[in-house]
């Protein structure tokens, strides 16, 4: 969770949606009520794979955009999870200049990959730290460009 400059709380994680785990983010007002002006009725849900998606990291950028990191099940490869990075506009809708309508995924190794922490560099590049479950959950660090593409120079 993270606190916005206006005192609202952004919370993220995963929820059960029709028997599948979906990634979600919601914005709460200072009194704890759901802010219905955010996303769709106060919540944005990402069910990328109709199986298992989750957010584990959250960062509010200086411009108010919201970065979320986690994992998404890759249905094209049995039992494998890819990195999931989402950027939302302050109103909770996907940022059209980031990835594909605010969503980008990355796959570097077979197995469970997940973003567990996010940091923003002064130049707008995004550093995502997490791990993969190939060899006892090795650490994994990836840098993304401000548009959500992978920074191959890193």
């Amino acid at each position: 969770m993270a606190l916005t400059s206006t005192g609202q709380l952004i919370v993220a994680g995963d929820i059960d949606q029709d028997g599948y785990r979906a990634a979600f983010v919601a914005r709460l007002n200072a009194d704890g009520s759901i802010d219905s002006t955010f996303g769709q009725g106060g919540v944005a849900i990402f069910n990328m794979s109709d199986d298992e998606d989750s957010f584990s990291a959250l960062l509010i950028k200086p411009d108010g955009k919201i970065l979320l990191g986690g994992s998404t099940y890759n249905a094209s490869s049995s039992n494998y999870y890819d990195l999931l990075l989402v950027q939302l506009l302050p109103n909770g809708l996907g940022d059209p200049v980031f990835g594909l309508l605010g969503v980008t995924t990355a796959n570097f190794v077979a197995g469970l990959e997940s973003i567990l922490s996010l940091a923003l560099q002064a130049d707008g590049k995004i550093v995502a730290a997490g791990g993969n479950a190939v060899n006892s959950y090795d650490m994994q660090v990836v840098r993304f460009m401000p548009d959500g593409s992978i920074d191959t120079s890193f």
Side-chain angles (χ1 to χ4, degrees):
M1 70 178 110
L3 195 60
T4 68
S5 61
T6 60
Q8 293 172 304
L9 186 64
I10 305 289
V11 295
D14 60 76
I15 60 170
D16 180 60
Q17 186 181 44
D18 300 325
Y20 298 106
R21 193 175 77 186
F24 88 97
V25 58
R27 184 167 65 194
L28 305 175
N29 294 311
D31 66 1
S33 63
I34 292 180
D35 178 2
S36 62
T37 66
F38 181 82
Q40 294 185 358
V43 179
I45 296 175
F46 296 84
N47 195 351
M48 308 293 299
S49 64
D50 287 332
D51 200 349
E52 293 189 25
D53 302 303
S54 180
F55 289 132
S56 303
L58 167 65
L59 179 129
I60 300 175
K61 296 171 66 174
D63 62 3
K65 292 182 179 179
I66 302 161
L67 275 174
L68 300 143
S71 64
T72 182
Y73 181 75
N74 183 344
S76 65
S77 299
S78 180
N79 297 320
Y80 293 110
Y81 293 79
D82 294 342
L83 301 176
L84 173 62
L85 185 65
V86 173
Q87 182 165 287
L88 301 178
L89 299 171
N91 64 5
L93 301 178
D95 187 346
V97 301
F98 186 89
L100 180 60
L101 300 175
V103 178
T104 189
T105 62
N107 181 18
F108 293 100
V109 297
L112 172 63
E113 292 181 280
S114 184
I115 295 172
L116 301 174
S117 183
L118 293 166
L120 188 64
Q121 294 183 179
D123 61 2
K125 292 179 181 174
I126 303 157
V127 178
N132 68 66
V134 175
N135 295 310
S136 301
Y137 214 73
D138 292 337
M139 186 172 98
Q140 186 173 22
V141 180
V142 180
R143 187 166 65 187
F144 294 89
M145 302 299 285
D147 66 359
S149 61
I150 296 170
D151 182 356
T152 58
S153 70
F154 181 73

